[in-house]
Amino acid sequence: MGIFKFVKDAGSKIFKRGPSEEDQRQEDMDEMAKGNAMVRLVMDLGLAIEDLRIQYEDGVAAVSGTTETQADKEKVILAIGNTQGVAEVDDRIEVVTPEPESALYTVVPGDSLSKIALAHYGDAMKYPVIFEANRPMLEDPDKIYPGQVLRIPALAPPVARDVGGDGAGSGGGGGM
């Protein structure tokens, strides 16, 4: 739990803005309605969280609820934080099965998922790991933007395999 910082002017535009009178009324919607719009965004993405509540005030979204995994928690935080107008997410989400947190990375101009994978994993071809870790928010690995915050999960350690012997073990066993 804690405060996560985001680029307030970057992200998806779920709060409509424009020159028409209708758009002006939309822009002036109260903070409760903005919190409700963020709840709809999380639900539309199909992210797994129970008892989701989001209170929005002056660029800060306080989010609470319960998720099964750390990954689900991080995806909810990123979906909300990568919304235009949100500068901070105050995380109050409970995780049923705690696990290590992913690193968070803010995209800069010129970045690509392969460049980010090379920097974090030492292998540009590991970009699908980052892409999958940020689905469903990312729909295309080529569509990231400066200011967007991404999850960078730790790579799973390699699985040890028995590559020698016949698997029968060692030991003498002969009779007397």
Side-chain angles (χ1 to χ4, degrees):
M1 291 194 206
I3 302 289
F4 294 85
K5 304 270 186 190
F6 291 85
V7 178
K8 188 174 183 176
D9 294 328
S12 60
K13 298 176 183 180
I14 64 169
F15 314 132
K16 299 188 186 290
R17 294 190 176 125
S20 74
E21 188 175 315
E22 177 75 23
D23 288 340
Q24 184 61 43
R25 273 185 261 148
Q26 183 73 22
E27 183 177 357
D28 292 338
M29 80 168 101
D30 66 3
E31 291 167 340
M32 178 184 267
K34 288 182 180 181
N36 290 338
M38 286 184 255
V39 168
R40 280 191 304 278
L41 169 69
V42 171
M43 295 295 117
D44 288 348
L45 289 170
L47 298 174
I49 183 165
E50 293 181 27
D51 302 321
L52 176 63
R53 289 191 181 87
I54 301 173
Q55 295 176 321
Y56 177 83
E57 185 176 335
D58 196 27
V60 179
V63 59
S64 62
T66 304
T67 65
E68 287 293 321
T69 68
Q70 182 69 28
D72 289 338
K73 171 184 173 171
E74 292 167 355
K75 288 179 180 186
V76 170
I77 291 168
L78 292 180
I80 295 165
N82 284 324
T83 298
Q84 197 168 64
V86 176
E88 294 181 357
V89 174
D90 180 1
D91 166 33
R92 302 174 188 175
I93 300 172
E94 304 268 340
V95 177
V96 174
T97 309
E99 7 179 277
E101 295 178 6
S102 296
L104 298 181
Y105 175 78
T106 303
V107 176
V108 296
D111 269 347
S112 65
L113 289 185
S114 58
K115 185 176 176 182
I116 297 166
L118 180 61
H120 287 270
Y121 301 140
D123 183 352
M125 297 310 294
K126 298 270 186 205
Y127 77 89
V129 173
I130 299 171
F131 177 65
E132 288 302 321
N134 289 279
R135 289 186 54 77
M137 290 83 59
L138 287 184
E139 295 178 3
D140 184 321
D142 295 324
K143 293 187 178 178
I144 60 173
Y145 55 85
Q148 182 177 26
V149 180
L150 301 173
R151 294 179 62 236
I152 311 295
L155 291 176
V159 176
R161 297 186 304 170
D162 183 11
V163 293
D166 61 7
S170 61
M176 299 230 208

